Every structure is written in structure tokens, then in C-alpha cells.
Amino acid sequence: MNQPDGERERLTALGGLAALSLDALSSVAYGPEAILVVLVTAGVSALKYSLPITAAIVVLLAALVTSYRQVIEAFPNGGGAYAVSKRHLGKVPSLVAAASLIVDYILNAAVGVSAGVEALTAAFPALYGARVWLCLLVLALITASNMWGVVESARIFMVPTLAFIAAMAVVIIGGLVRSQPDVALSHAMPSITDSVGVLLILKAFASGCSALTGVEAIANSVPQFRKPRAKRAQHTEVWLGVLLGVMLLGLGELIRRWDVVPQSGTTVLAQLTEGAVGHNALYYVIQLITLVLLALAANTSFGGLPVLAGLLAHDNFLPHVFGLRADRRVYRYGIGCWRWPRRCCSSPPAVTRRRWCRCSRSGCSSASRCPRSGWCGTGVSSGPVAGSTAPGSTAPGRC
């Protein structure tokens, strides 16, 4: 069925999973290990709690997915925690929520890219000296793909996303059908410094909740989906919850069966992969797929942060330029300014040359307000709002 031009530049449910869920899906590479790092300080007897803690985290994940489905239905314009707190708690709590989301998105981009490059330098130590430049290169590539278009970037990231899901399925299924790991795993334990207690269990639970990062990104970016937007976003949220929950439980069961413990120089996921498929070419392929997805997890920030910045611009808490969209539904100034923070200190040259005015859906006027960005610029080349022309100008105005 033919889609209108504007709808073709928006995300399907599968595209949303690729563009907005990489952060959450890639968290299985470090979430289960975070639980073990805490439990291992109490010795072998504490490792039996890893699977119950993982199950508790999955229950919390189910509660979060249910909650975000309700948020998506109630706030189809996106915004997530910012929109909810703005309506029910007021201005100051909403700004606190928005500030925390912005910090979270920026840190997610930094941590995701750094983790991916760290995995690369671990495999190829000769690249260690160039790790900063490699991080900048990965960040530039992700930025360029998002500037190209929302749908286009989702198509690019769909392949590694599906490959990672398939890789985790191979590891989990391959491990469950084995009574013993294909390769003997090391069970060397560090010296015991703690005892099993409620505080240790709670600390392990809190550390393992790092696997839930990024679950909110879909609720923040509902306007990026095709119609019916809320339904598609809800379906994407459910699929994310199901995939993440199954992967966490599957890896948790393998950890319990094989008594896997954290080892220096390797990761828990690498040990599970080696035990499930052996130390062969497939092992290296899965490691490479994991490396790529960890690096691309930063794309969740590029999908969610510009939408949040657009809402803040609409509410006059950020410069209105962050609410403008270019061709292919891209918040170009939002993506560009978050990529290069120094550019936030000055207005983009393409904008300063244009005259700004208040606008409405029917046209520009000094008394009306744009429901999307609050401002429009005459002469914007990305096309007009239907029937909207700036008075005193031959060029169309666009919100």
C-alpha cells in the first residue's frame, strides 16, 4: 500500500526496534556480568542467587514495559518522563526529568561507543593508541547516518540488530542443548571479602538493572513512528521487552548451569559463547557482532534526544531551532548540536540568514503559535505546511 511522503520517512515497528532499541538489547552483554561481579565477592555460595536476581529484573522489565505502553497511549506526542511529569507534577519536576534524560542520552552515547572500541582494541591491541580517534570516527559515522534520515539510519542498523538477536539465539539454544560447555571454562575465584546478605543481594540487583537501560527510548520517540503511531510504538515496546527478557533469562540459566564467574581479560558473554559454540570461527563472528552492536548502541541517543529537545524547544526551554525538522523528518540542528556541543554556542548560519516569525497551521502571524516548534522561518527549503505562506514573503514558511 502506498504511503504518503511524510509517512515513508517515519519508522515501522521493526525499524523502531533497530533505531531505538540497540541500547537496551546490547545491555545483555554487560548486565548479567554486573550481577556476578557483586556476587562473586561472597564466594561460590552466592552464585546460586544470580538466576533469581535475573528473574526479578525481568519482572521489573515487564512492569516497565507495561508502564511505558500506557505512557505511549496517553502521550502520543512523545516526551516520556518529561511529558508525564509536566502534566501531573508541574514545571520544575518536568525539567528535572528532562535534564536527567539529556544526561542519560549523552552518557549512553559516550559509554556505548567507548565499549565498542574497547572490545575492538582488546581483539586488536595495536589499535589501542588510536582509541580516541576510533571513538570519534564511530560517533561521526552514526551522526552522518542519522543526518541522512530516520528511516535510512534504521535500515542501516537493522542488519546488526537482527544479527545480534540471531547470535544470542545461537548462544542460548546451543548452550541449553549441551550438558557441559564445549570448552572448559575457568572457575578461578577471587578472595572472599563479603558474606551473603540482604544488602549484597540488593546491590547485585541494582547492578544488574543496568540491563534495563534504554527501555524508555521508544516512549520518548512516538512521533517518529508511522500511523497509527501509538500502536506501532506499543508493539515495538512489547517486542523489545520480550526479546530482552528472553535473552536475560537464557543467559542467566547458562550462567547457573556452568557456574560461570567473571575472569580478567574476557567477558561473561564471551565465556558463554565459547562454551555454547566452541572456540572457532563462529565464536569470533558472534564477538564481532556484539562489538558492532555495543558501538551502535549510541544510536538510541540520536533517536530519542532530538525529539526531547524539540519538545523542550516548543515549551520555550531550549532555542526554537531545536524544534525545526529538515527533509526526511530529521531534527538536523538537534542532531548536529548534540554531536558537536560547541556549535550550540552560536546559531546555525543557515538559520540566521532567515527571518523568524510566529506561525500557525494556516499561516504565519505575530499572534499565533506553532503547535510543533513554536517558530517558523520564511524561506525554509524543506517544504511548507499545507496552505502556509509567510506574509510579505514569496517563499513558504514551515513549522
Side-chain angles (χ1 to χ4, degrees):
M1 183 175 64
N2 293 331
Q3 294 279 352
D5 290 341
E7 291 301 304
R8 284 201 298 267
E9 303 302 333
R10 297 180 187 267
L11 297 171
T12 61
L14 183 58
L17 195 65
L20 301 171
S21 303
L22 297 183
D23 181 22
L25 293 176
S26 65
S27 65
V28 301
Y30 50 82
E33 184 167 1
I35 299 174
L36 295 179
V37 167
V38 176
L39 293 179
V40 77
T41 60
V44 178
S45 61
L47 296 180
K48 63 183 179 181
Y49 295 103
S50 64
L51 186 57
I53 290 173
T54 302
I57 292 173
V58 173
V59 171
L60 179 58
L61 172 64
L64 285 173
V65 169
T66 303
S67 175
Y68 281 123
R69 276 178 52 86
Q70 296 172 347
V71 170
I72 289 169
E73 184 175 1
F75 299 90
N77 292 325
Y82 168 69
V84 174
S85 56
K86 176 186 172 185
R87 177 182 294 182
H88 298 289
L89 299 177
K91 175 181 175 181
V92 174
S94 69
L95 292 179
V96 172
S100 64
L101 284 172
I102 290 174
V103 172
D104 178 56
Y105 279 132
I106 294 175
L107 290 178
N108 168 64
V111 171
V113 172
S114 300
V117 172
E118 183 183 17
L120 177 64
T121 56
F124 302 96
L127 298 175
Y128 184 79
R131 62 192 183 280
V132 175
W133 292 106
L134 289 172
C135 287
L136 294 176
L137 176 61
V138 172
L139 197 58
L141 292 174
I142 297 174
T143 302
S145 65
N146 279 274
M147 296 285 270
W148 187 20
V150 176
V151 175
E152 285 72 14
S153 64
R155 288 171 181 165
I156 294 173
F157 299 135
M158 198 175 296
V159 174
T161 301
L162 295 177
F164 181 76
I165 294 172
M168 291 301 99
V170 169
V171 172
I172 294 171
I173 296 174
L176 291 178
V177 299
R178 296 179 184 273
S179 58
Q180 296 294 331
D182 188 70
V183 176
L185 304 179
S186 174
H187 299 288
M189 297 283 291
S191 58
I192 298 176
T193 60
D194 206 345
S195 59
V196 180
V198 175
L199 291 180
L200 182 73
I201 299 298
L202 292 177
K203 183 179 179 181
F205 174 80
S207 298
C209 284
S210 60
L212 302 180
T213 178
V215 177
E216 80 288 343
I218 296 171
N220 292 341
S221 308
V222 180
Q224 301 279 39
F225 286 87
R226 293 181 184 177
K227 294 180 179 178
R229 309 198 201 289
K231 289 295 183 183
R232 288 185 186 274
Q234 286 178 325
H235 293 162
T236 307
E237 189 76 54
V238 170
W239 275 111
L240 170 61
V242 170
L243 290 171
L244 182 57
V246 169
M247 286 192 287
L248 287 174
L249 289 175
L251 295 177
E253 172 60 18
L254 293 184
I255 291 172
R256 185 196 65 81
R257 282 191 179 191
W258 297 342
D259 297 323
V260 177
V261 295
Q263 301 291 336
S264 61
T266 187
T267 64
V268 168
L269 182 59
Q271 294 181 69
L272 294 176
T273 303
E274 196 173 25
V277 303
H279 197 87
N280 49 34
L282 182 57
Y283 166 80
Y284 287 103
V285 169
I286 294 176
Q287 288 298 97
L288 179 61
I289 292 172
T290 304
L291 180 157
V292 170
L293 202 79
L294 280 170
L296 296 182
N299 187 67
T300 299
S301 298
F302 286 84
L305 183 52
V307 177
L308 176 62
L311 292 173
L312 289 169
H314 174 267
D315 294 335
N316 298 318
F317 295 123
L318 282 179
H320 294 97
V321 70
F322 286 104
L324 295 178
R325 292 180 180 177
D327 298 332
R328 300 182 178 181
R329 312 297 302 174
V330 176
Y331 288 96
R332 186 163 294 169
Y333 299 120
I335 293 174
C337 284
W338 295 120
R339 168 60 179 86
W340 294 287
R342 289 184 181 179
R343 291 180 59 185
C344 293
C345 299
S346 61
S347 298
V351 176
T352 58
R353 291 194 296 266
R354 298 188 176 100
R355 179 170 62 85
W356 298 97
C357 65
R358 297 281 186 177
C359 72
S360 66
R361 293 189 182 276
S362 59
C364 293
S365 68
S366 59
S368 56
R369 178 183 178 87
C370 173
R372 193 160 61 205
S373 68
W375 293 83
C376 76
T378 58
V380 178
S381 60
S382 55
V385 177
S388 173
T389 303
S393 172
T394 57
R398 174 157 183 172
C399 297

